[in-house]
Amino acid sequence: MRLQYIRRSKISILYAGIAAILLSCKGEKLPQAQVEKQVDYAAKVYPQLDTENSRWFFFSSASRPFGMVNLSPDTGINGAWGSGYRYKTDTIKGFSHIHAWQMSGVSVMPVTVAEKEAPKLYRDFYSKFSHQTEEVSPGYHLVNLDRYQIKVALTSTKRVGFHSYTFPKNKKAAILFNLNTLLGPCKNFGGVLDKINAKELTGKVVMEPTFRRPKPVTVYFKALLNTEISSIDKDKETGNYLVYVKETGAKVLMKIAISYTSIDNATYNLNQELPGWDFDAIVQQSKKEWNGLLSRIAVKGGSEQVQRRFYTDLWHALQGRRIINDANGAYPDNTGATFRIGQIPLDNNGKPKFNHFNSDSFWGAQWTLNTLWGLVYPEIMKDFVNSLMQYYKDGGLIPRGPSGGNYTYVMTGASTTPFIVTAIQKGIVTEDLEGIYKALKKNHMLGGIMEKAGYEHKTNLGGGLKYYINNGYVPYPIPEGKFGGHQDGASLTMEYAYQDWTLAQLAKKLNHTDDYNYFMNRSKNYKNVFDSQVGWMRPKDVAGVWKIDFDPYQVENGFIESNAAQSTWFVPHDIKGLASLMGGEKNAIEKLNKQFVEAEKLGFTAGNSHAQELHPEYRSIPINYGNQPSIQTAFVFNQLGRHDLTQYWSRKVVDKAFSGFSPGKGYNGDEDQGLMGSLSVLMKIGLFQMNGGTEANPEYQIGSPIFDEIVIKLNSVTFGEKKLTIKTKNNSDANVYVRDVQWNKQPVKNYTIRQSDLLKGGELQLEMANQPK
């Protein structure tokens, strides 16, 4: 059926092409809607990109955008890093339904069972496979298990995994429910499977706590088969189950719906989302959903590979972070002393008003998700803001990266403040602004999340906030000791200063003048960790003594996942103020340009994976586009009047760091649930926001697009039925400089354009050349 569909699709496209040619000969054009239907954006996505270096939640195949279910084969299961689908590993160890930040679960494996072999299968069931017989696309995965000669096809809805198994004839067919096992970031235990009737199973499994997620999480599931179950065996040692199915000449189909609240809600999810058995129809529904989002940006120009890499980046920006609520709005709340089931408010149709999410940190979102989601996917941004506020209502704090319905305190600072502020400044979030401001302000004061270092669950000392407030900087080391990760005083000072500035912008909007002045004054604290004698940001201790034996290229040691050379430029709210500390804009430009010249020798990244950042060969790189702390640096030149250097270096970075197209090369670091995918998209379309779009009527800085034409469909509900078109003239690999900019045929100054202008729709025209203006 799958191959038949592919053939039909190709034939239909061929007919459409012939029709277009015939109409063209008559001087007629196809209707625009028909032309757009011919572009299968999902087919351009390359899911295996960078999968040699992926972590547990990186890879997706049989998944919907932000789906609770993220069904895919696991070739590695040991730990959060180096696990999940790893391209070079040729052995499948199960098909699990949850690949999320600090969460995993419900792993199954179809098998064939020989006489007296069953007891061994619980411990020896892995199977080799080959990429030669594998098909992977958004919403679909097909693979052959060589050991058993079973063809496995996978797809899903938001909350239901859909399996299709073709077993060999004359073999005893079974499905192993490997419920009790180490699975990525955590051990699964307490697995239970019950047979309800001839075709129906229910069960649950518990994810043990992790260092980052301190409470257990239970996932409940409902499984339904299209063929009868002949028997179920349970292994006493592992506690896992073999489910035998009756012989059938047809494919064995299985639906597994999950819920973090109850079996009843798992059943509800299944009935709401997948009542039928048409596997191919669900594959096509998934493709349609992906195409609906990917088609928001249509590009022309560049090679087929360049376009495929672009849509793969865009695809990554729409996943990783996972829905945790049921279709009826029930969700797990672990923020209190005891677990409870929460309920999202329902609309007039009885549907949840928003989704609730599991998410890694928003650390770095100010230069990535803020701009991409805010412009192209405002409805997604609004959903996430509502979810973050729900955590505040339940637990008293806006999180910076929740997991399992609870806080993880991942990374540092109040990283969600810029995200929420930009949503308000762009008119995406318009209700209860005073309530949101109150919640955000709490995070910036004693007792708020800024007090906590990374994964600091039981104390409020590692973030050094009291020193920042009283002394104007966070000392390094924290005098009281070690309480969490990333207690790097210089970086913390700069982060807090920027986040304070963004909160001040909201205070100004709401006429909280005293608060505005207070947080604006705090936003200048970055100056207190700049050592004018050495020309870099530099850690200092509680007594105000600069760090001895300071080396600006020494990784960490006062700087979070970076070195001083990279992090010195983390002043997105006051680049000109930073330049003044460096002796003026000319000195700052020369300094940063030299850093780019050196960084280019290593391809602008510290190796090709996050694990290599501490390697002696890479750790001293002065600019690193493989991690978040310095990914804004190419656009710093724009702020200092050297737009040509922004154009030149941003194109260089795209070419070296974000053009790889293989399982071994993609993001050259940690993609971080859409952050680096979003960055790559923004650099390729030539739009950026240095301060994360947090000022009134946010400004977009113009870079150097790599395409001839970019058409962005603005969300009709949020912004109305409008399009933003970016056209480049004389664009090429050599013509990276923008000589002239016009917006709707009117000259544009300073290579910037405002939110209010973009939302009116129109055309941004860029004249490109091989020499700067």
Side-chain angles (χ1 to χ4, degrees):
M1 290 292 290
R2 171 69 179 167
L3 291 176
Q4 289 174 357
Y5 172 79
I6 292 171
R7 292 190 186 106
R8 287 197 299 267
S9 295
K10 289 181 177 178
I11 292 169
S12 64
I13 291 172
L14 176 61
Y15 284 153
I18 293 170
I21 293 169
L22 291 174
L23 285 170
S24 177
C25 292
K26 295 179 180 180
E28 301 176 30
K29 291 183 179 180
L30 277 172
Q32 186 61 30
Q34 282 186 252
V35 174
E36 290 179 354
K37 283 181 181 178
Q38 295 174 30
V39 181
D40 186 352
Y41 295 96
K44 293 178 180 289
V45 172
Y46 179 51
Q48 289 99 330
L49 181 77
D50 211 16
T51 49
E52 289 181 15
N53 309 302
S54 61
R55 58 195 290 194
W56 179 249
F57 56 63
F58 173 78
F59 176 76
S60 284
S61 53
S63 177
R64 299 293 181 99
F66 307 106
M68 179 187 287
V69 162
N70 186 25
L71 178 60
S72 60
D74 296 320
T75 63
I77 59 173
N78 189 15
W81 293 87
S83 60
Y85 179 90
R86 301 277 290 187
Y87 190 84
K88 278 190 172 181
T89 305
D90 64 357
T91 303
I92 290 176
K93 301 173 181 178
F95 300 91
S96 58
H97 290 73
I98 301 169
H99 295 85
W101 164 239
Q102 292 299 298
M103 294 169 65
S104 64
V106 193
S107 180
V108 300
M109 184 77 161
V111 296
T112 56
V113 186
E115 282 295 322
K116 300 181 181 180
E117 187 186 48
K120 298 178 182 178
L121 273 179
Y122 292 103
R123 284 156 292 277
D124 177 18
F125 59 87
Y126 300 167
S127 174
K128 299 282 188 182
F129 78 106
S130 170
H131 294 301
Q132 298 299 315
T133 55
E134 183 181 36
E135 290 181 32
V136 189
S137 62
Y140 180 75
H141 202 130
L142 173 70
V143 66
N144 291 320
L145 300 179
D146 293 344
R147 174 175 173 179
Y148 307 108
Q149 294 301 300
I150 299 171
K151 183 168 74 172
V152 177
L154 308 171
T155 189
S156 72
T157 65
K158 290 282 190 194
R159 299 169 178 88
V160 188
F162 201 0
H163 305 240
S164 172
Y165 304 145
T166 304
F167 289 93
K169 294 180 179 180
N170 303 317
K171 294 284 186 178
K172 194 172 185 181
I175 304 168
L176 173 66
F177 279 72
N178 189 31
L179 303 180
N180 303 287
T181 178
L182 175 63
L183 199 60
C186 62
K187 183 180 179 181
N188 290 188
F189 71 98
V192 175
L193 186 69
D194 295 312
K195 181 180 178 183
I196 305 304
N197 58 44
K199 296 182 178 181
E200 185 177 336
L201 303 163
T202 62
K204 66 177 182 178
V205 64
V206 181
M207 303 171 215
E208 73 172 8
T210 71
F211 169 70
R212 296 166 173 82
R213 175 182 49 77
K215 294 181 181 179
V217 177
T218 300
V219 56
Y220 304 88
F221 62 90
K222 170 75 166 282
L224 198 61
L225 287 85
N226 71 333
T227 188
E228 290 189 1
I229 299 164
S230 57
S231 64
I232 299 178
D233 289 346
K234 179 180 179 181
D235 181 56
K236 292 182 179 180
E237 183 177 337
T238 64
N240 292 324
Y241 300 80
L242 271 174
V243 176
Y244 293 91
V245 297
K246 289 188 176 180
E247 289 186 22
T248 174
K251 294 175 182 177
V252 173
L253 301 178
M254 179 173 66
K255 302 183 284 191
I256 297 183
I258 67 171
S259 166
Y260 297 117
T261 60
S262 68
I263 288 174
D264 285 345
N265 280 334
T267 303
Y268 181 84
N269 293 338
L270 191 152
N271 292 336
Q272 287 293 304
E273 295 186 358
L274 191 51
W277 289 97
D278 191 334
F279 185 89
D280 287 342
I282 300 303
V283 172
Q284 297 314 310
Q285 287 174 21
S286 184
K287 177 190 282 190
K288 182 178 180 181
E289 184 174 357
W290 279 115
N291 272 325
L293 291 175
L294 295 173
S295 65
R296 296 268 185 98
I297 306 180
V299 300
K300 294 180 181 178
S303 68
E304 177 66 16
Q305 180 173 306
V306 166
Q307 288 197 17
R308 291 195 66 194
R309 173 60 202 259
F310 176 81
Y311 285 104
T312 303
D313 292 331
L314 190 58
W315 176 68
H316 272 290
L318 299 168
Q319 59 182 323
R321 300 160 201 268
R322 300 284 167 201
I323 291 169
I324 62 170
N325 62 283
D326 297 314
N328 60 10
Y331 67 89
D333 176 19
N334 256 320
T335 60
T338 58
F339 174 81
R340 78 175 189 97
I341 297 174
Q343 176 63 49
I344 294 170
L346 304 178
D347 63 19
N348 293 333
N349 296 316
K351 301 294 184 181
K353 289 185 175 180
F354 57 87
N355 285 310
H356 208 28
F357 294 95
N358 186 90
S359 170
D360 200 346
S361 177
F362 284 77
W363 194 74
Q366 69 270 12
W367 297 315
T368 55
L369 301 180
N370 278 25
T371 302
L372 182 63
W373 287 3
L375 182 63
V376 187
Y377 306 105
E379 76 281 12
I380 293 173
M381 175 170 269
K382 185 175 182 179
D383 245 19
F384 272 85
V385 171
N386 285 328
S387 176
L388 292 168
M389 285 301 297
Q390 190 64 51
Y391 281 103
Y392 170 75
K393 293 171 184 176
D394 291 338
L397 290 176
I398 295 176
R400 56 191 182 213
S403 181
N406 195 17
Y407 302 98
T408 64
Y409 305 110
V410 56
M411 298 310 296
T412 50
S415 58
T416 44
T417 295
F419 181 81
I420 294 174
V421 171
T422 194
I424 294 171
Q425 298 284 31
K426 292 171 181 173
I428 296 167
V429 173
T430 58
E431 298 177 356
D432 191 26
L433 300 189
E434 288 291 349
I436 293 174
Y437 177 75
K438 179 182 177 181
L440 291 172
K441 181 180 175 181
K442 181 177 180 180
N443 264 355
H444 289 241
M445 305 302 290
L446 297 178
I449 208 164
M450 269 187 176
E451 276 198 313
K452 290 182 174 289
Y455 317 115
E456 184 180 357
H457 297 287
K458 297 180 179 179
T459 54
N460 297 281
L461 296 168
L465 183 62
K466 67 179 181 180
Y467 296 105
Y468 175 83
I469 292 173
N470 296 328
N471 301 346
Y473 69 97
V474 179
Y476 178 76
I478 298 292
E480 290 84 355
K482 183 77 171 176
F483 301 95
H486 309 304
Q487 293 187 187
D488 297 284
S491 275
L492 291 174
T493 301
M494 290 184 284
E495 281 185 40
Y496 297 173
Y498 161 63
Q499 291 160 4
D500 280 344
W501 187 88
T502 67
L503 184 58
Q505 307 314 300
L506 182 55
K508 182 179 181 180
K509 179 182 181 70
L510 300 177
N511 296 315
H512 295 300
T513 304
D514 290 344
D515 281 4
Y516 170 75
N517 291 330
Y518 172 70
F519 287 113
M520 283 298 288
N521 188 56
R522 278 183 24 172
S523 75
K524 300 173 185 176
N525 282 348
Y526 75 88
K527 297 178 181 180
N528 298 327
V529 290
F530 184 85
D531 183 357
S532 58
Q533 296 298 311
V534 298
W536 301 103
M537 297 293 177
R538 183 176 182 180
K540 57 183 176 183
D541 64 20
V542 71
V545 177
W546 295 113
K547 183 180 183 298
I548 300 172
D549 298 327
F550 171 71
D551 177 0
Y553 302 103
Q554 182 182 22
V555 71
E556 299 183 346
N557 287 273
F559 298 93
I560 300 170
E561 297 186 3
S562 61
N563 57 38
Q566 297 164 21
S567 278
T568 287
W569 303 95
F570 194 106
V571 190
H573 59 295
D574 192 15
I575 294 296
K576 291 189 176 181
L578 173 63
S580 180
L581 294 177
M582 294 177 171
E585 294 183 8
K586 182 180 179 181
N587 288 348
I589 291 166
E590 290 179 356
K591 184 185 189 76
L592 184 57
N593 194 58
K594 287 180 181 178
Q595 288 182 237
F596 268 94
V597 170
E598 288 302 311
E600 185 180 13
K601 297 174 183 177
L602 290 174
F604 304 107
T605 62
N608 65 358
S609 69
H610 191 44
Q612 293 182 335
E613 288 181 355
L614 301 180
H615 190 280
E617 184 180 354
Y618 306 115
R619 63 191 179 196
S620 63
I621 189 170
I623 298 292
N624 180 18
Y625 269 84
N627 205 338
Q628 285 81 47
S630 60
I631 57 175
Q632 86 290 6
T633 45
F635 282 83
V636 167
F637 296 109
N638 257 358
Q639 304 293 306
L640 301 177
R642 288 299 304 272
H643 312 290
D644 58 314
L645 290 177
T646 285
Q647 295 153 16
Y648 177 80
W649 287 118
S650 65
R651 286 285 281 264
K652 284 281 189 180
V653 169
V654 165
D655 181 54
K656 298 285 187 180
F658 296 117
S659 294
F661 196 72
S662 72
K665 189 173 178 62
Y667 295 102
N668 303 289
D670 186 2
E671 200 280 329
D672 261 347
Q673 294 195 331
L675 296 186
M676 305 308 270
S678 296
L679 175 68
S680 181
V681 167
L682 293 171
M683 296 185 77
K684 290 170 182 177
I685 66 174
L687 292 177
F688 196 77
Q689 292 185 296
M690 179 57 68
N691 65 40
T694 53
E695 79 273 43
N697 194 13
E699 177 186 275
Y700 295 79
Q701 295 88 47
I702 298 169
S704 180
I706 68 170
F707 298 109
D708 298 333
E709 181 178 288
I710 301 139
V711 179
I712 300 173
K713 298 178 185 176
L714 301 179
N715 180 278
S716 59
V717 175
T718 307
F719 299 138
E721 289 282 357
K722 298 182 179 71
K723 291 182 179 180
L724 164 63
T725 301
I726 303 171
K727 284 189 176 181
T728 61
K729 183 180 179 181
N730 301 323
N731 203 354
S732 69
D733 291 342
N735 292 355
V736 303
Y737 297 104
V738 180
R739 296 292 299 272
D740 182 67
V741 183
Q742 291 193 354
W743 171 246
N744 290 334
K745 298 183 179 180
Q746 295 298 315
V748 172
K749 297 180 180 180
N750 299 320
Y751 294 86
T752 62
I753 189 166
R754 292 284 179 174
Q755 175 86 1
S756 58
D757 293 320
L758 289 186
L759 296 191
K760 294 174 185 176
E763 185 171 288
L764 187 65
Q765 298 170 314
L766 309 179
E767 183 180 340
M768 313 298 289
N770 61 5
Q771 294 294 324
K773 186 174 180 179

